[in-house]
Amino acid sequence: MNKIFTALLLAAIAIPAAHADTPAETRSQAFKKMLLQSFEPMGMAVRERAPYDKAKFEQQAEAMKTLAAEPFKHFPANSISGKSRAKPEIWSQPAKFQADRDVFLKSVDNLATIAKAGDLAAIKKAYGQVAQNCKTCHDAFRGPEK
């Protein structure tokens, strides 16, 4: 069952990514990859909906650390398209966007470091900080679904 789920997830990521040719589509796929491959599986353990496995969690945290900066590379000037949820504030407030991105990336690095120690209480706190930093950026720079 787990292998089927993994195969379906990979297909769901790979098929749209093969057609991602605009910055909006490319960054959307990069965010989805990060979410599905690392953030959400860690969240299942943090919310106690899946068993906590230190080695697996540490691997997922490192994967997220590797993937975390990728979506941000795909916000060139005037790259808003009809399907983009990106708000114009990304480009009109670049310093704030950069600062929010940096805070997010630092919290992801912190989570990866804390995951190595295996202290679940500290991990839950660090994971919550990553989630809050996602929300802060989304609230400021991501609009409603179109």
Side-chain angles (χ1 to χ4, degrees):
M1 180 72 168
N2 200 13
K3 289 181 182 180
I4 293 170
F5 179 71
T6 301
L8 289 173
L9 268 176
L10 291 174
I13 293 168
I15 292 169
H19 297 94
D21 56 0
T22 69
E25 292 164 335
T26 302
R27 65 182 169 248
S28 176
Q29 291 307 314
F31 277 120
K32 286 178 186 173
K33 180 178 180 182
M34 180 176 44
L35 180 71
L36 293 173
Q37 289 185 357
S38 55
F39 192 68
E40 188 51 34
M42 286 188 292
M44 295 296 287
V46 164
R47 293 185 301 274
E48 298 177 7
R49 293 185 181 153
Y52 168 71
D53 177 324
K54 181 184 180 298
K56 190 174 181 180
F57 195 96
E58 185 177 344
Q59 185 178 41
Q60 291 163 337
E62 280 299 318
M64 183 163 181
K65 184 177 173 180
T66 300
L67 297 169
E70 182 60 28
F72 295 98
K73 296 176 185 177
H74 305 287
F75 287 96
N78 301 314
S79 61
I80 298 175
S81 74
K83 290 189 175 195
S84 178
R85 294 178 69 183
K87 290 182 178 178
E89 287 83 349
I90 289 173
W91 298 278
S92 66
Q93 300 175 17
K96 178 168 175 21
F97 183 65
Q98 179 79 23
D100 284 356
R101 181 200 77 132
D102 291 347
V103 168
F104 167 73
L105 293 176
K106 187 177 276 192
S107 68
V108 170
D109 288 349
N110 185 52
L111 176 60
T113 299
I114 289 174
K116 292 176 184 170
D119 177 350
L120 193 53
I123 287 169
K124 287 179 179 184
K125 184 176 179 182
Y127 180 90
Q129 190 60 58
V130 172
Q132 180 58 50
N133 292 334
C134 288
K135 182 181 180 332
T136 296
C137 195
H138 285 177
D139 287 350
F141 299 108
R142 185 175 79 165
E145 221 164 311
K146 294 180 179 183

